[in-house]
């Protein structure tokens, strides 16, 4: 009898299948209500006393081997089923997934757009290929006006009326022509100038233009708006407005933000002054309002324009403006942002 059980132990050990029905049959055969183990245990009382010990141990071995076998086969089956299933193996480590990065120009542009959208500015755009009227004449820069030389212009072919816009101020004109005040809009975009390419300047770069036109808009509104903006973007609220000249604004100013002189980088960035120049601004010249069909006796407004590239260089301490357009993946990969 003991020999017979030992044969079964060997069979149990050798048993292998991936078929769930066969596993179940195996379980019933040994461990079921009417299974072999039941029969063997029933035999126990007929076994001579001196064999009882060995007999008992052998059946117990068979029992635990059969249980183990059923468990391992079932487990193996579940694993293979999971790998084949919709979710795969839920216990395997996650696959690292590649986060895309955003271009530093886009990061800064999005930040600026967000800051102004919180105080009611919408976003507007205009074409990069412009005509003379929108880029110059309507902005109080008639033909032969000496201030046209402030920006070296790329003309398209030989037609002097078609050019690559030299600033986003052209979008102001388009917006005022097509919308009635109150106007609160910012216009980000690419601009072009015929300048020698170096670490500090490029023949194309990016600007954001701002325009606010309504009844009773004053220079105080402009200053307050700029202060809000610099606090939000740089975390710095100390600004100064230096008198300047732009044909399309009167009075005009250049805005400096006080950066501080705490670190060596502060010294470098501000050339030892603590101040950083960030944009031009002013009250929209009444001539410009009139050129765009807005009654300057009823409405006034302010405008400002800033270079995105320069701010991106400052905020990310990028030493050369050319890096922004070289598309070197090792450079671009370093900019991850939720903005
Ligand atoms: N368009 C100017 C430039 O490209 C920047 C600027 C200055 C824009 C003053 C404005 C402004 O709207 O009011 O340098």
């Amino acid at each position: 009898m003991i020999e017979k059980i030992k044969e079964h132990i060997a069979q149990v050990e050798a048993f292998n299948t991936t078929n769930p029905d066969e596993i179940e049959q195996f379980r019933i055969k040994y461990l079921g209500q009417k299974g072999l183990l039941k029969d063997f245990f029933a035999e126990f009382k007929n076994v001579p006393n001196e064999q009882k010990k060995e007999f008992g141990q052998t059946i117990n071995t068979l029992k635990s081997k059969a249980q183990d076998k059923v468990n391992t086969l079932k487990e193996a089956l579940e694993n293979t089923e999971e790998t084949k299933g919709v979710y795969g193996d839920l216990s395997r480590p996650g696959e690292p997934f590649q986060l895309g990065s955003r271009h530093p120009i886009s990061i800064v542009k999005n930040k600026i757009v967000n800051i102004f959208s919180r105080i009611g500015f919408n976003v507007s755009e205009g074409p990069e290929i412009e005509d003379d009227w929108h880029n110059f004449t309507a902005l109080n820069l008639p033909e032969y006006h000496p201030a046209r030389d402030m920006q070296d212009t790329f003309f398209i072919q030989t037609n002097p009326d078609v050019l690559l816009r030299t600033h986003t101020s052209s979008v102001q004109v388009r917006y005022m022509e097509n919308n009635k005040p109150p106007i609160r809009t910012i216009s980000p975009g690419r601009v072009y100038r015929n300048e020698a390419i170096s670490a500090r300047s490029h023949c194309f770069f990016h600007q954001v233009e701002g325009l606010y036109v309504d009844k009773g808009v004053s220079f105080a509104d402009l200053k307050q708006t700029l202060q809000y903006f610099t606090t939000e973007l740089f975390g710095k609220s100390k600004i100064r407005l230096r008198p300047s000249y732009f044909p399309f604004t009167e009075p005009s100013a250049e805005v400096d933000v006080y950066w501080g002189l705490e670190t060596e980088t502060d010294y470098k960035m501000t050339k030892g002054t603590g101040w950083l120049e960030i944009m031009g601004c002013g009250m929209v010249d009444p001539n410009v309002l009139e050129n765009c069909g807005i009654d300057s006796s009823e409405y006034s407004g302010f405008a400002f324009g800033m270079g995105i590239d320069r701010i991106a260089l400052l905020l990310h301490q990028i030493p050369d403006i050319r890096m922004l357009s070289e598309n070197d993946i090792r450079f671009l990969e370093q900019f991850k942002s939720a903005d």
Side-chain angles (χ1 to χ4, degrees):
M1 190 56 144
I2 289 180
E3 284 316 304
K4 204 173 149 198
I5 301 174
K6 283 188 175 160
E7 265 170 41
H8 277 293
I9 292 178
Q11 277 174 26
V12 165
E13 280 175 341
F15 183 72
N16 194 14
T17 180
T18 50
N19 181 330
D21 289 339
E22 284 176 24
I23 300 176
E24 183 57 10
Q25 277 161 21
F26 174 88
R27 191 191 65 79
I28 293 169
K29 178 177 169 191
Y30 286 99
L31 304 160
Q33 290 290 340
K34 294 176 183 160
L36 281 173
L37 273 155
K38 262 243 156 89
D39 295 346
F40 290 137
F41 278 117
E43 280 297 316
F44 192 75
K45 59 180 188 304
N46 303 327
V47 174
N49 273 348
E50 66 277 12
Q51 284 182 20
K52 270 200 161 64
K53 188 175 170 201
E54 195 192 348
F55 186 84
Q57 280 172 349
T58 321
I59 322 180
N60 277 331
T61 312
L62 177 62
K63 188 181 172 187
S64 60
K65 294 238 172 196
Q67 264 167 353
D68 284 352
K69 183 58 89 177
V70 171
N71 289 343
T72 13
L73 289 179
K74 274 193 177 166
E75 231 169 73
L77 190 68
E78 272 167 23
N79 283 342
T80 48
E81 274 179 355
E82 246 171 63
T83 350
K84 278 191 241 140
V86 194
Y87 298 111
D89 175 5
L90 294 177
S91 62
R92 73 169 194 262
E95 290 195 9
F97 87 101
Q98 291 268 321
L99 259 193
S101 55
R102 226 184 269 287
H103 195 282
I105 297 278
S106 301
I107 295 175
V108 173
K109 181 193 84 180
N110 292 347
K111 277 190 176 147
I112 297 172
V113 166
N114 271 334
I115 292 169
F116 281 105
S117 72
R118 293 206 286 276
I119 53 169
F121 281 71
N122 67 8
V123 177
S124 50
E125 285 181 334
E128 291 178 19
I129 300 174
E130 256 307 358
D131 51 38
D132 182 280
W133 169 256
H134 293 96
N135 196 77
F136 291 126
T137 308
L139 287 163
N140 217 16
L141 277 151
E143 218 184 332
Y144 304 119
H145 192 291
R148 283 195 178 204
D149 290 344
M150 282 162 76
Q151 302 168 354
D152 268 326
T153 310
F154 281 120
F155 292 94
I156 305 253
Q157 294 181 337
T158 48
N159 184 349
D161 192 43
V162 187
L163 46 89
L164 293 178
R165 66 179 178 196
T166 57
H167 52 186
T168 43
S169 303
S170 55
V171 189
Q172 280 186 36
V173 178
R174 289 188 176 270
Y175 199 86
M176 284 191 277
E177 283 174 344
N178 296 305
N179 296 276
K180 298 246 156 307
I183 288 170
R184 274 186 302 246
T185 190
I186 53 167
S187 330
R190 182 173 285 180
V191 302
Y192 302 82
R193 288 185 200 173
N194 190 4
E195 276 176 23
I197 299 171
S198 72
R200 313 224 92 230
S201 69
H202 210 291
C203 61
F204 66 82
F205 51 99
H206 305 79
Q207 289 187 331
V208 177
E209 193 80 11
L211 176 69
Y212 182 17
V213 181
D214 202 350
K215 289 179 181 155
V217 177
S218 72
F219 203 89
D221 297 324
L222 167 60
K223 194 175 173 198
Q224 199 60 42
T225 307
L226 297 177
Q227 205 151 29
Y228 157 77
F229 168 69
T230 56
T231 313
E232 293 294 308
L233 187 64
F234 302 110
K236 319 261 180 192
S237 60
K238 190 167 156 185
I239 57 171
R240 73 179 179 196
L241 293 146
R242 275 181 294 109
S244 184
Y245 172 74
F246 298 103
F248 29 90
T249 43
E250 182 60 36
S252 305
E254 252 154 304
V255 184
D256 298 341
V257 56
Y258 189 71
W259 195 261
L261 275 177
E262 274 157 38
T263 65
E264 210 180 308
T265 325
D266 293 348
Y267 260 89
K268 253 195 222 156
M269 279 165 65
T270 66
K271 297 196 188 95
T273 64
W275 291 95
L276 271 181
E277 183 191 318
I278 52 158
M279 66 168 105
C281 68
M283 301 306 290
V284 182
D285 192 300
N287 286 342
V288 175
L289 293 175
E290 296 294 336
N291 285 341
C292 302
I294 292 176
D295 184 351
S296 63
S297 63
E298 200 181 344
Y299 292 103
S300 59
F302 65 70
F304 54 86
M306 66 189 119
I308 306 180
D309 306 58
R310 227 179 79 82
I311 296 176
L313 298 188
L314 287 173
L315 287 180
H316 297 287
Q317 311 204 344
I318 302 164
D320 191 321
I321 195 171
R322 288 169 290 197
M323 295 171 98
L324 295 174
S325 49
E326 275 165 355
N327 282 342
D328 186 329
I329 199 94
R330 293 165 302 176
F331 169 75
L332 296 174
E333 262 175 357
Q334 297 176 48
F335 299 93
K336 314 261 178 205
S337 170
D339 286 310

